[in-house]
Amino acid sequence: MTDNAIPGPLDPEELQIQYAKSFLLQTDNSGLSLYEHLSALLSRILSERPPNALEVFESLSAELHWSRLKQGSDVLRAPREESHTCRKAEVQRALFSRGDGEGEESEAEGEMTESPLPNLLDLAHLLQQGGVNLGRDEAVRISLALKRLTDTHPLQVCHFWGKILGSGGSYLVAEVQFREGEDDEAEEGGEEEEKGEVEDDVEEEENEEAEDLPPKSTYRPPPVIPKEENGTGANKHVYYVCSEAGAEWVRLPPVTPAQISAARKIRHLFTGNLDAPVITYPPFPGTEINLLRAQIARISAGTHVSPLGYYQFGEEEGEEEEEGAVRDTYEENPDFEGIPVSELVESLSNWVHHVQHILPQGRCVWVNTSVKSEEEEDEEEAEEEEKEEENEPEPEVGPPLLTPLSEDAEIGQTPPWTAFLSTHLIPHYALAVLRSNLWPGAYTVSSAKKFENIYIGWGLKYMPEGYSPPAPPAPQAEYPSGPEITESTDPTVEEEQALKAAKEEAEAAAEEMEEEEDEEEEEEDD
Amino acid sequence: MDAETLSLSLELVSGSGPGLSAEQCAALRASLPLLHRDLRLRRLRLWGVVLGLRGDYVIARGWGGPDLLRGQLSFYSLNCVDWCLLPPATDAHIAQTQGIKGRFVGDPAHEYEYIVRNTAGGGDSALEEELTTHIKEEVRLTGTIAMIDREAAVAPRGAYIRNPLGQVIVNHSFRGLEVSEGKKLSSYFHFTPSLNPKKKSLLEKAALDPSIDFLDSLEHDIPRGSWSLQLEQGDSVLILRSLLWLGMTFYHVPLTPLHGHLYIGTGERNLDLPFMI
């Protein structure tokens, strides 16, 4: 392009340079020449002056190419840059907006003293010292999400229970108790309907009186163990979960004993979707929402502990009630003096469980399922009743409430708890940290007077030996085994002949007898 | 995770729960630079924590040479201040540690009893001998760390390159994965020398860059679904958790070179994984 040197023959060197430059200036299909590319690249290197220019030369060159390709978006088309981050940010921004009405604010200020909202930042600080990270920002977000929960529901108690990780997403879990009589969403109607449906089906079957019915199964399912009422036992608390701070809180349904005992037999990771089916053997009755509730109940029963003396049994309960009644309520001990942290770490007997143990039956309070309701009894035959009375099951008894941790069973050879001080360098302000080895991820952090339980983990119980699913049950016998239908081996020739001979002999003997008898008769006749 | 960006990195992996306490964190920031200087290391990273019954091992990983896949040194500390060098992991160590079950105790001198089954002879006349041997916890720790590295250490695609000398070095021009790329398991590599490279078809090879794609991607891991990939903290961090080694968390902030992995767990492999997914 600088072809202004026409006059006079050029010297060969100059000519070479001209040729080389014109080669570099050749453009390819995109209308770009190597000359332009190199000059742009060199000017960028010279302006940025990276320390390792040679090393990054190729990548810088590649980047330049890419940047040229990316420019070509049409002016008319609106750039579509709604990224995930923005959508999440919008959801979270809603958490930070204060109530719109001015009246609400003043109300909120009035309620400030009674609010069940936990001080999550305080909790996060305690946990941070104990070595459990909630994350600074995350703690604020969870706190705001809990605030939203307490604002919209009539709650008496609200705790941040913890977090359960899943393969596709995790759950934040809030443990709440409603104010008495204000639990408007007690979901009992749904299940009653289900039961009704089942009964209808049975009746229909009975009405079908075709002549050639297949034989009816004699299998009788074990009696359904009734679930515990809301507010008692494993259903003492109500749990809300959400996938992320800012997302909608979902109330978990009450847990049934069948779900708890099924959850004990399986090992399953959560997927992060509450409606995901749980496909396992033995089958789990319900979807992930039920499994989550069952695991929460098991984890709470196993790992919610408090320093000895923090809670005490209510005095009303102390009056003698029925024998064998399990005390399931406790109250905060107003005279709790606090236990020195060093003693908390040294001895597990300074810690107690404050959530009831779940019995093998799947309930906290044992129920005798062999006691039938009157209607059922009428239907049944008298014999069976007698039999059942003989096999009256032994009531299952678990450790009572507020049992010290030193009574906990060991897992193989592993102690169930690890206790340590949060710091050895500043023992004056150290905290006692208790880590569950049975439920990895469950932590309890306690200063002398206050404590916090939290669970952050996968919702899996520790198994030292590895899991092996139970074997399928033995196949049922198809027909009653008896001599009429058992196939016998064919007799050999010798046996046949022996049998023949024996028969002949017998016949001969019989004939002889008859003859003799005849003779006798004849004699008598005579 | 690099020792320099410890606090930030811990904040990023905080979604997994157990982490380091403030005191441990502060102690590490004082002791790691000294370790770095005293052993004349080129690079030093915090690798993770192996939780024991009576004490926890904090593990650091150092590199003496330029190659990031070879010549690694592992250090452990029980108090985040005094560091001890672990012996290099050999295949024999790894094989031995596979047989040990149960939790770590937290005492490097603890001896595990371990039963070796030797089969002498072949066929039906094989004689089974049971030999009881003892293994120190230190050795078990070495083997476990090597196993975790082999199966769960992760690097994003493009973060490391192999230079003409065959050394694996940091790619300084790595600008981070895009979110759309980051949602695919094929953008993440096992950061370990590939032992049995998968044979790829010509079509697959066509899109690969030999200086970048020298590692195995996580895409074809068995069992399928042994990784959990999520966006956390308002979808700003890519978090990749290994389900085979529960406790291994990899983080990467999209469009930045910030990435790393941290293991905080019991040091036990999740053998029940096939039943759980």
Side-chain angles (χ1 to χ4, degrees):
Chain A
M1 293 180 195
T2 53
D3 295 351
N4 48 359
I6 298 165
L10 290 167
D11 61 311
E13 268 184 34
E14 194 89 353
L15 203 61
Q16 285 284 334
I17 291 170
Q18 287 285 338
Y19 279 142
K21 190 174 176 187
S22 63
F23 172 76
L24 291 177
L25 277 167
Q26 279 177 342
T27 57
D28 60 356
N29 294 339
S30 62
L32 193 77
S33 70
L34 180 60
Y35 188 84
E36 274 176 64
H37 181 75
L38 279 177
S39 57
L41 192 61
L42 287 175
S43 69
R44 180 173 168 189
I45 289 175
L46 287 175
S47 59
E48 289 183 6
R49 293 185 186 265
N52 44 357
L54 178 60
E55 201 179 300
V56 299
F57 185 78
E58 277 105 355
S59 54
L60 281 180
S61 162
E63 217 170 85
L64 198 62
H65 275 302
W66 277 110
S67 65
R68 283 200 198 98
L69 286 174
K70 277 183 185 171
Q71 279 173 359
S73 68
D74 199 343
V75 195
L76 291 176
R77 202 191 289 160
R80 174 180 73 72
E81 274 294 307
E82 178 72 355
S83 73
H84 252 261
T85 324
C86 291
R87 257 177 278 153
K88 277 285 156 67
E90 216 155 88
V91 171
Q92 289 185 351
R93 196 191 170 284
L95 283 176
F96 290 88
S97 60
R98 302 180 69 184
D100 297 327
E102 286 171 23
E104 284 177 29
E105 275 179 37
S106 56
E107 265 180 46
E109 276 168 27
E111 281 177 15
M112 206 74 89
T113 44
E114 302 164 26
S115 170
L117 188 67
N119 187 351
L120 209 71
L121 297 181
D122 201 30
L123 168 75
H125 180 66
L126 267 182
L127 291 173
Q128 163 71 32
Q129 291 183 64
V132 185
N133 273 343
L134 269 186
R136 264 173 315 184
D137 300 0
E138 193 67 12
V140 176
R141 281 195 289 258
I142 296 171
S143 183
L144 288 170
L146 285 176
K147 180 165 179 292
R148 194 191 258 186
L149 183 70
T150 51
D151 286 351
T152 50
H153 296 84
L155 303 181
Q156 188 169 20
V157 185
C158 177
H159 277 298
F160 179 55
W161 184 88
K163 184 171 169 185
I164 289 193
L165 306 173
S167 54
S170 44
Y171 298 111
L172 300 172
V173 185
E175 184 184 72
V176 304
Q177 260 179 326
F178 281 89
R179 283 186 218 134
E180 264 178 50
E182 287 186 56
D183 185 1
D184 43 344
E185 290 169 50
E187 294 155 297
E188 284 170 15
E191 292 199 3
E192 277 171 20
E193 276 171 28
E194 275 175 31
K195 276 182 194 169
E197 279 170 25
V198 173
E199 277 169 22
D200 288 345
D201 290 347
V202 173
E203 277 168 26
E204 275 171 29
E205 275 172 28
E206 280 171 5
N207 290 342
E208 283 175 21
E209 285 182 19
E211 286 178 8
D212 211 9
L213 278 174
K216 279 198 172 174
S217 166
T218 53
Y219 173 72
R220 208 185 272 169
V224 179
I225 303 166
K227 75 170 193 215
E228 283 167 305
E229 289 290 306
N230 284 348
T232 58
N235 285 325
K236 186 170 180 181
H237 298 280
V238 178
Y239 293 90
Y240 279 87
V241 298
C242 67
S243 55
E244 197 170 11
E248 203 65 35
W249 286 99
V250 181
R251 182 186 167 127
L252 296 183
V255 69
T256 64
Q259 284 161 1
I260 289 191
S261 35
R264 280 180 171 145
K265 289 178 201 150
I266 60 174
R267 242 167 123 65
H268 197 261
L269 275 177
F270 293 98
T271 60
N273 173 15
L274 285 173
D275 300 323
V278 179
I279 300 164
T280 54
Y281 180 82
F284 181 79
T287 52
E288 188 164 305
I289 195 168
N290 301 107
L291 180 63
L292 182 64
R293 182 65 187 79
Q295 291 297 76
I296 288 175
R298 294 177 64 204
I299 293 170
S300 305
T303 65
H304 276 199
V305 297
S306 54
L308 178 71
Y310 190 88
Y311 288 119
Q312 65 179 13
F313 290 117
E315 282 171 15
E316 296 159 30
E317 296 282 324
E319 293 167 22
E320 283 179 24
E321 291 180 19
E322 298 166 49
E323 256 182 60
V326 185
R327 294 202 276 187
D328 61 346
T329 54
Y330 51 82
E331 55 188 27
E332 242 173 79
N333 185 358
D335 309 323
F336 179 58
E337 292 287 321
I339 301 176
V341 171
S342 55
E343 284 180 30
L344 282 176
V345 171
E346 266 168 31
S347 167
L348 283 181
S349 51
N350 284 327
W351 293 90
V352 293
H353 285 279
H354 64 257
V355 174
Q356 272 178 297
H357 177 79
I358 302 179
L359 300 170
Q361 197 184 34
R363 288 174 55 109
C364 295
V365 182
W366 189 74
V367 149
N368 191 350
T369 46
S370 60
V371 176
K372 295 277 151 69
S373 63
E374 286 177 15
E375 287 169 30
E376 282 172 37
E377 271 179 21
D378 293 342
E379 286 168 17
E380 278 168 15
E381 292 163 30
E383 283 176 30
E384 281 193 10
E385 273 179 37
E386 278 170 27
K387 270 186 199 172
E388 274 172 16
E389 273 166 29
E390 285 166 21
N391 312 339
E392 181 85 10
E394 291 250 328
E396 292 163 2
V397 180
L401 207 57
L402 305 188
T403 304
L405 298 195
S406 44
E407 311 274 309
D408 282 11
E410 292 204 340
I411 325 154
Q413 293 162 355
T414 316
W417 297 93
T418 298
F420 54 92
L421 280 177
S422 65
T423 165
H424 291 283
L425 301 173
I426 317 168
H428 318 81
Y429 299 110
L431 301 176
V433 186
L434 201 60
R435 191 161 71 196
S436 173
N437 294 329
L438 189 61
W439 289 99
Y443 284 79
T444 299
V445 183
S446 171
S447 63
K449 286 209 167 180
K450 89 184 157 170
F451 72 96
E452 294 288 350
N453 293 307
I454 198 157
Y455 179 84
I456 302 182
W458 295 90
L460 297 171
K461 194 172 181 172
Y462 178 65
M463 274 195 186
E465 289 301 319
Y467 172 74
S468 62
Q476 195 184 357
E478 274 185 53
Y479 48 83
S481 170
E484 315 89 54
I485 40 171
T486 357
E487 200 173 335
S488 54
T489 45
D490 281 349
T492 56
V493 181
E494 287 81 22
E495 280 172 340
E496 238 169 63
Q497 282 171 349
L499 189 72
K500 247 184 200 174
K503 262 189 187 171
E504 277 169 15
E505 264 179 39
E507 275 173 22
E511 273 173 28
E512 271 175 32
M513 287 283 286
E514 272 176 32
E515 278 169 23
E516 278 172 23
E517 277 172 22
D518 287 346
E519 279 167 21
E520 281 167 21
E521 278 170 24
E522 278 167 23
E523 280 166 20
E524 279 170 21
D525 285 340
D526 295 336
Chain B
M1 70 177 48
D2 285 297
E4 295 81 31
T5 56
L6 198 62
S7 324
L8 176 60
S9 311
L10 280 174
E11 179 75 21
L12 292 177
V13 297
S14 64
S16 306
L20 293 170
S21 72
E23 185 184 293
Q24 282 174 316
C25 200
L28 284 176
R29 299 188 81 172
S31 66
L32 284 177
L34 294 179
L35 181 72
H36 192 273
R37 180 198 67 185
D38 294 345
L39 284 157
R40 294 165 193 257
L41 299 170
R42 284 211 179 198
R43 201 183 162 95
L44 186 66
R45 280 180 178 183
L46 180 70
W47 184 88
V49 183
V50 175
L51 303 174
L53 293 174
R54 288 201 288 274
D56 302 340
Y57 297 101
V58 181
I59 314 286
R61 165 69 43 99
W63 286 266
D67 194 334
L68 292 174
L69 281 186
R70 283 177 210 89
Q72 297 151 332
L73 302 166
S74 301
F75 306 89
Y76 72 89
S77 164
L78 287 162
N79 57 3
C80 298
V81 177
D82 306 312
W83 293 91
C84 312
L85 182 65
L86 282 172
T90 61
D91 285 344
H93 282 159
I94 296 173
Q96 278 173 340
T97 48
Q98 299 259 11
I100 304 174
K101 285 179 184 162
R103 293 280 302 270
F104 279 82
V105 173
D107 170 16
H110 177 83
E111 288 204 337
Y112 291 95
E113 272 193 10
Y114 155 62
I115 295 167
V116 195
R117 289 219 171 78
N118 274 345
T119 42
D124 299 330
S125 60
L127 290 172
E128 275 212 0
E129 266 185 284
E130 289 199 356
L131 291 173
T132 312
T133 44
H134 294 266
I135 290 188
K136 269 195 175 182
E137 185 154 280
E138 204 172 30
V139 177
R140 185 186 173 197
L141 191 62
T142 312
T144 305
I145 292 171
M147 276 302 285
I148 295 176
D149 265 345
R150 208 179 258 187
E151 292 181 345
V154 177
R157 181 174 184 269
Y160 299 93
I161 48 171
R162 190 160 60 181
N163 68 6
L165 298 173
Q167 294 165 337
V168 177
I169 53 169
V170 175
N171 181 4
H172 287 292
S173 50
F174 176 63
R175 296 283 176 86
L177 298 174
E178 301 219 5
V179 179
S180 55
E181 283 177 321
K183 283 185 185 162
K184 294 178 202 149
L185 275 183
S186 54
S187 318
Y188 301 97
F189 291 146
H190 281 286
F191 193 59
T192 176
S194 53
L195 297 172
N196 34 359
K198 185 177 168 282
K199 282 203 175 134
K200 289 180 183 133
S201 65
L202 277 177
L203 199 65
E204 284 171 307
K205 270 189 208 167
L208 301 184
D209 180 343
S211 70
I212 292 174
D213 298 286
F214 57 99
L215 299 166
D216 295 335
S217 87
L218 305 184
E219 206 181 1
H220 303 289
D221 275 11
I222 297 170
R224 193 165 283 207
S226 52
W227 292 93
S228 147
L229 181 59
Q230 297 175 30
L231 277 159
E232 285 198 358
Q233 310 204 0
D235 280 2
S236 58
V237 195
L238 284 159
I239 296 282
L240 188 63
R241 295 195 180 96
S242 171
L243 303 180
L244 189 61
W245 290 95
L246 293 179
M248 176 55 103
T249 312
F250 166 83
Y251 63 91
H252 174 52
V253 183
L255 299 174
T256 66
L258 194 62
H259 70 272
H261 55 78
L262 185 74
Y263 178 82
I264 299 185
T266 57
E268 285 171 296
R269 203 178 187 196
N270 183 12
L271 292 172
D272 306 333
L273 182 62
F275 297 111
M276 294 177 7
I277 44 181

mmCIF file of all heavy atoms in Angstrom, chain B residues 127-154:
data_model
loop_
_atom_site.group_PDB
_atom_site.id
_atom_site.type_symbol
_atom_site.label_atom_id
_atom_site.label_comp_id
_atom_site.label_asym_id
_atom_site.label_seq_id
_atom_site.Cartn_x
_atom_site.Cartn_y
_atom_site.Cartn_z
ATOM 1 N N LEU B 127 -3.725 -72.935 49.053
ATOM 2 C CA LEU B 127 -3.694 -72.893 50.513
ATOM 3 C C LEU B 127 -3.841 -71.445 50.953
ATOM 4 O O LEU B 127 -3.158 -70.575 50.433
ATOM 5 C CB LEU B 127 -2.369 -73.451 51.025
ATOM 6 C CG LEU B 127 -2.169 -74.942 50.858
ATOM 7 C CD1 LEU B 127 -0.746 -75.303 51.234
ATOM 8 C CD2 LEU B 127 -3.140 -75.716 51.728
ATOM 9 N N GLU B 128 -4.752 -71.233 51.815
ATOM 10 C CA GLU B 128 -4.910 -69.865 52.301
ATOM 11 C C GLU B 128 -4.154 -69.691 53.599
ATOM 12 O O GLU B 128 -4.374 -70.423 54.551
ATOM 13 C CB GLU B 128 -6.382 -69.541 52.505
ATOM 14 C CG GLU B 128 -7.042 -69.073 51.241
ATOM 15 C CD GLU B 128 -8.137 -68.065 51.494
ATOM 16 O OE1 GLU B 128 -8.364 -67.739 52.661
ATOM 17 O OE2 GLU B 128 -8.741 -67.610 50.518
ATOM 18 N N GLU B 129 -3.286 -68.730 53.579
ATOM 19 C CA GLU B 129 -2.537 -68.419 54.795
ATOM 20 C C GLU B 129 -3.023 -67.077 55.303
ATOM 21 O O GLU B 129 -3.246 -66.163 54.508
ATOM 22 C CB GLU B 129 -1.065 -68.283 54.455
ATOM 23 C CG GLU B 129 -0.274 -69.552 54.645
ATOM 24 C CD GLU B 129 1.180 -69.236 54.388
ATOM 25 O OE1 GLU B 129 1.555 -69.092 53.212
ATOM 26 O OE2 GLU B 129 1.921 -69.120 55.370
ATOM 27 N N GLU B 130 -3.187 -66.968 56.555
ATOM 28 C CA GLU B 130 -3.562 -65.667 57.106
ATOM 29 C C GLU B 130 -2.418 -65.128 57.934
ATOM 30 O O GLU B 130 -2.022 -65.736 58.915
ATOM 31 C CB GLU B 130 -4.825 -65.792 57.946
ATOM 32 C CG GLU B 130 -6.039 -66.045 57.090
ATOM 33 C CD GLU B 130 -7.319 -65.732 57.810
ATOM 34 O OE1 GLU B 130 -7.252 -65.394 59.005
ATOM 35 O OE2 GLU B 130 -8.381 -65.822 57.175
ATOM 36 N N LEU B 131 -1.891 -64.039 57.473
ATOM 37 C CA LEU B 131 -0.779 -63.421 58.194
ATOM 38 C C LEU B 131 -1.265 -62.110 58.798
ATOM 39 O O LEU B 131 -1.902 -61.322 58.117
ATOM 40 C CB LEU B 131 0.361 -63.121 57.222
ATOM 41 C CG LEU B 131 1.081 -64.332 56.651
ATOM 42 C CD1 LEU B 131 2.051 -63.864 55.593
ATOM 43 C CD2 LEU B 131 1.805 -65.078 57.746
ATOM 44 N N THR B 132 -0.976 -61.960 60.046
ATOM 45 C CA THR B 132 -1.354 -60.701 60.669
ATOM 46 C C THR B 132 -0.155 -59.774 60.635
ATOM 47 O O THR B 132 0.912 -60.113 61.132
ATOM 48 C CB THR B 132 -1.785 -60.933 62.119
ATOM 49 O OG1 THR B 132 -2.698 -62.014 62.121
ATOM 50 C CG2 THR B 132 -2.450 -59.707 62.680
ATOM 51 N N THR B 133 -0.348 -58.630 59.999
ATOM 52 C CA THR B 133 0.738 -57.655 59.969
ATOM 53 C C THR B 133 0.246 -56.379 60.625
ATOM 54 O O THR B 133 -0.933 -56.179 60.811
ATOM 55 C CB THR B 133 1.164 -57.342 58.528
ATOM 56 O OG1 THR B 133 -0.007 -57.176 57.758
ATOM 57 C CG2 THR B 133 2.024 -58.414 57.970
ATOM 58 N N HIS B 134 1.178 -55.545 60.926
ATOM 59 C CA HIS B 134 0.836 -54.286 61.574
ATOM 60 C C HIS B 134 1.188 -53.134 60.647
ATOM 61 O O HIS B 134 2.211 -53.156 59.979
ATOM 62 C CB HIS B 134 1.599 -54.145 62.896
ATOM 63 C CG HIS B 134 1.166 -55.160 63.898
ATOM 64 N ND1 HIS B 134 0.211 -54.917 64.833
ATOM 65 C CD2 HIS B 134 1.542 -56.446 64.064
ATOM 66 C CE1 HIS B 134 0.021 -55.998 65.560
ATOM 67 N NE2 HIS B 134 0.819 -56.945 65.113
ATOM 68 N N ILE B 135 0.321 -52.162 60.638
ATOM 69 C CA ILE B 135 0.574 -50.972 59.824
ATOM 70 C C ILE B 135 0.429 -49.753 60.706
ATOM 71 O O ILE B 135 -0.523 -49.646 61.477
ATOM 72 C CB ILE B 135 -0.430 -50.885 58.666
ATOM 73 C CG1 ILE B 135 -0.139 -51.982 57.657
ATOM 74 C CG2 ILE B 135 -0.349 -49.540 57.993
ATOM 75 C CD1 ILE B 135 -0.951 -51.839 56.418
ATOM 76 N N LYS B 136 1.341 -48.859 60.543
ATOM 77 C CA LYS B 136 1.247 -47.609 61.300
ATOM 78 C C LYS B 136 0.231 -46.691 60.647
ATOM 79 O O LYS B 136 0.039 -46.732 59.436
ATOM 80 C CB LYS B 136 2.606 -46.921 61.292
ATOM 81 C CG LYS B 136 3.496 -47.286 62.440
ATOM 82 C CD LYS B 136 4.591 -46.265 62.469
ATOM 83 C CE LYS B 136 5.508 -46.446 63.645
ATOM 84 N NZ LYS B 136 6.525 -45.407 63.656
ATOM 85 N N GLU B 137 -0.350 -45.863 61.501
ATOM 86 C CA GLU B 137 -1.356 -44.956 60.950
ATOM 87 C C GLU B 137 -0.740 -43.977 59.944
ATOM 88 O O GLU B 137 -1.390 -43.565 58.996
ATOM 89 C CB GLU B 137 -2.032 -44.194 62.088
ATOM 90 C CG GLU B 137 -3.162 -43.329 61.577
ATOM 91 C CD GLU B 137 -4.218 -43.053 62.622
ATOM 92 O OE1 GLU B 137 -5.048 -43.954 62.824
ATOM 93 O OE2 GLU B 137 -4.203 -41.989 63.216
ATOM 94 N N GLU B 138 0.527 -43.659 60.160
ATOM 95 C CA GLU B 138 1.209 -42.747 59.242
ATOM 96 C C GLU B 138 1.186 -43.306 57.815
ATOM 97 O O GLU B 138 0.936 -42.590 56.851
ATOM 98 C CB GLU B 138 2.644 -42.580 59.720
ATOM 99 C CG GLU B 138 3.286 -41.322 59.280
ATOM 100 C CD GLU B 138 4.633 -41.123 59.953
ATOM 101 O OE1 GLU B 138 5.293 -42.137 60.275
ATOM 102 O OE2 GLU B 138 5.008 -39.971 60.167
ATOM 103 N N VAL B 139 1.433 -44.619 57.738
ATOM 104 C CA VAL B 139 1.453 -45.252 56.423
ATOM 105 C C VAL B 139 0.054 -45.271 55.825
ATOM 106 O O VAL B 139 -0.146 -45.031 54.633
ATOM 107 C CB VAL B 139 2.019 -46.677 56.547
ATOM 108 C CG1 VAL B 139 1.976 -47.380 55.216
ATOM 109 C CG2 VAL B 139 3.422 -46.632 57.087
ATOM 110 N N ARG B 140 -0.913 -45.537 56.681
ATOM 111 C CA ARG B 140 -2.287 -45.554 56.197
ATOM 112 C C ARG B 140 -2.686 -44.175 55.659
ATOM 113 O O ARG B 140 -3.345 -44.058 54.626
ATOM 114 C CB ARG B 140 -3.238 -45.954 57.339
ATOM 115 C CG ARG B 140 -4.650 -46.109 56.874
ATOM 116 C CD ARG B 140 -5.623 -46.366 57.989
ATOM 117 N NE ARG B 140 -6.979 -46.337 57.458
ATOM 118 C CZ ARG B 140 -8.067 -46.208 58.191
ATOM 119 N NH1 ARG B 140 -7.958 -46.115 59.499
ATOM 120 N NH2 ARG B 140 -9.247 -46.188 57.643
ATOM 121 N N LEU B 141 -2.224 -43.167 56.368
ATOM 122 C CA LEU B 141 -2.520 -41.802 55.949
ATOM 123 C C LEU B 141 -1.923 -41.540 54.570
ATOM 124 O O LEU B 141 -2.579 -40.991 53.681
ATOM 125 C CB LEU B 141 -1.956 -40.834 56.987
ATOM 126 C CG LEU B 141 -2.365 -39.380 56.899
ATOM 127 C CD1 LEU B 141 -3.855 -39.257 57.087
ATOM 128 C CD2 LEU B 141 -1.643 -38.558 57.942
ATOM 129 N N THR B 142 -0.679 -41.963 54.399
ATOM 130 C CA THR B 142 -0.021 -41.778 53.110
ATOM 131 C C THR B 142 -0.809 -42.447 52.004
ATOM 132 O O THR B 142 -1.066 -41.859 50.948
ATOM 133 C CB THR B 142 1.382 -42.414 53.163
ATOM 134 O OG1 THR B 142 2.015 -41.972 54.338
ATOM 135 C CG2 THR B 142 2.181 -42.065 51.963
ATOM 136 N N GLY B 143 -1.185 -43.695 52.255
ATOM 137 C CA GLY B 143 -1.903 -44.447 51.232
ATOM 138 C C GLY B 143 -3.251 -43.830 50.926
ATOM 139 O O GLY B 143 -3.664 -43.752 49.765
ATOM 140 N N THR B 144 -3.919 -43.380 51.979
ATOM 141 C CA THR B 144 -5.256 -42.812 51.778
ATOM 142 C C THR B 144 -5.184 -41.527 50.981
ATOM 143 O O THR B 144 -5.980 -41.307 50.068
ATOM 144 C CB THR B 144 -5.904 -42.549 53.151
ATOM 145 O OG1 THR B 144 -5.879 -43.761 53.889
ATOM 146 C CG2 THR B 144 -7.331 -42.097 52.993
ATOM 147 N N ILE B 145 -4.196 -40.703 51.309
ATOM 148 C CA ILE B 145 -4.073 -39.443 50.572
ATOM 149 C C ILE B 145 -3.808 -39.719 49.101
ATOM 150 O O ILE B 145 -4.403 -39.106 48.207
ATOM 151 C CB ILE B 145 -2.947 -38.589 51.182
ATOM 152 C CG1 ILE B 145 -3.353 -38.122 52.571
ATOM 153 C CG2 ILE B 145 -2.645 -37.396 50.309
ATOM 154 C CD1 ILE B 145 -2.226 -37.455 53.317
ATOM 155 N N ALA B 146 -2.957 -40.707 48.855
ATOM 156 C CA ALA B 146 -2.651 -41.040 47.463
ATOM 157 C C ALA B 146 -3.901 -41.547 46.743
ATOM 158 O O ALA B 146 -4.138 -41.210 45.578
ATOM 159 C CB ALA B 146 -1.549 -42.090 47.418
ATOM 160 N N MET B 147 -4.709 -42.349 47.453
ATOM 161 C CA MET B 147 -5.929 -42.861 46.844
ATOM 162 C C MET B 147 -6.901 -41.730 46.521
ATOM 163 O O MET B 147 -7.519 -41.715 45.468
ATOM 164 C CB MET B 147 -6.625 -43.827 47.823
ATOM 165 C CG MET B 147 -6.125 -45.227 47.805
ATOM 166 S SD MET B 147 -6.259 -45.955 46.190
ATOM 167 C CE MET B 147 -7.997 -46.243 46.134
ATOM 168 N N ILE B 148 -7.019 -40.815 47.471
ATOM 169 C CA ILE B 148 -7.960 -39.716 47.247
ATOM 170 C C ILE B 148 -7.502 -38.881 46.063
ATOM 171 O O ILE B 148 -8.292 -38.495 45.204
ATOM 172 C CB ILE B 148 -8.096 -38.859 48.523
ATOM 173 C CG1 ILE B 148 -8.726 -39.684 49.646
ATOM 174 C CG2 ILE B 148 -8.939 -37.624 48.264
ATOM 175 C CD1 ILE B 148 -8.817 -38.962 50.962
ATOM 176 N N ASP B 149 -6.184 -38.629 46.001
ATOM 177 C CA ASP B 149 -5.650 -37.866 44.879
ATOM 178 C C ASP B 149 -5.934 -38.568 43.563
ATOM 179 O O ASP B 149 -6.267 -37.946 42.561
ATOM 180 C CB ASP B 149 -4.138 -37.703 45.038
ATOM 181 C CG ASP B 149 -3.806 -36.387 45.706
ATOM 182 O OD1 ASP B 149 -4.700 -35.538 45.756
ATOM 183 O OD2 ASP B 149 -2.665 -36.234 46.176
ATOM 184 N N ARG B 150 -5.800 -39.883 43.612
ATOM 185 C CA ARG B 150 -5.945 -40.641 42.386
ATOM 186 C C ARG B 150 -7.396 -40.615 41.907
ATOM 187 O O ARG B 150 -7.661 -40.608 40.730
ATOM 188 C CB ARG B 150 -5.538 -42.085 42.674
ATOM 189 C CG ARG B 150 -5.007 -42.801 41.487
ATOM 190 C CD ARG B 150 -4.617 -44.191 41.892
ATOM 191 N NE ARG B 150 -3.192 -44.334 42.066
ATOM 192 C CZ ARG B 150 -2.624 -45.510 42.287
ATOM 193 N NH1 ARG B 150 -3.372 -46.600 42.397
ATOM 194 N NH2 ARG B 150 -1.325 -45.599 42.422
ATOM 195 N N GLU B 151 -8.325 -40.628 42.839
ATOM 196 C CA GLU B 151 -9.720 -40.781 42.435
ATOM 197 C C GLU B 151 -10.538 -39.509 42.518
ATOM 198 O O GLU B 151 -11.612 -39.454 41.934
ATOM 199 C CB GLU B 151 -10.385 -41.852 43.313
ATOM 200 C CG GLU B 151 -9.808 -43.214 43.032
ATOM 201 C CD GLU B 151 -10.437 -44.300 43.852
ATOM 202 O OE1 GLU B 151 -11.122 -43.970 44.827
ATOM 203 O OE2 GLU B 151 -10.239 -45.465 43.516
ATOM 204 N N ALA B 152 -10.067 -38.530 43.263
ATOM 205 C CA ALA B 152 -10.962 -37.392 43.478
ATOM 206 C C ALA B 152 -10.302 -36.033 43.305
ATOM 207 O O ALA B 152 -10.973 -35.024 43.476
ATOM 208 C CB ALA B 152 -11.589 -37.480 44.864
ATOM 209 N N ALA B 153 -9.010 -35.970 42.980
ATOM 210 C CA ALA B 153 -8.409 -34.645 42.755
ATOM 211 C C ALA B 153 -8.872 -34.132 41.395
ATOM 212 O O ALA B 153 -8.878 -34.869 40.418
ATOM 213 C CB ALA B 153 -6.895 -34.744 42.797
ATOM 214 N N VAL B 154 -9.276 -32.875 41.364
ATOM 215 C CA VAL B 154 -9.906 -32.341 40.161
ATOM 216 C C VAL B 154 -9.249 -31.035 39.753
ATOM 217 O O VAL B 154 -8.804 -30.261 40.603
ATOM 218 C CB VAL B 154 -11.408 -32.099 40.425
ATOM 219 C CG1 VAL B 154 -12.080 -31.488 39.217
ATOM 220 C CG2 VAL B 154 -12.106 -33.381 40.789
#
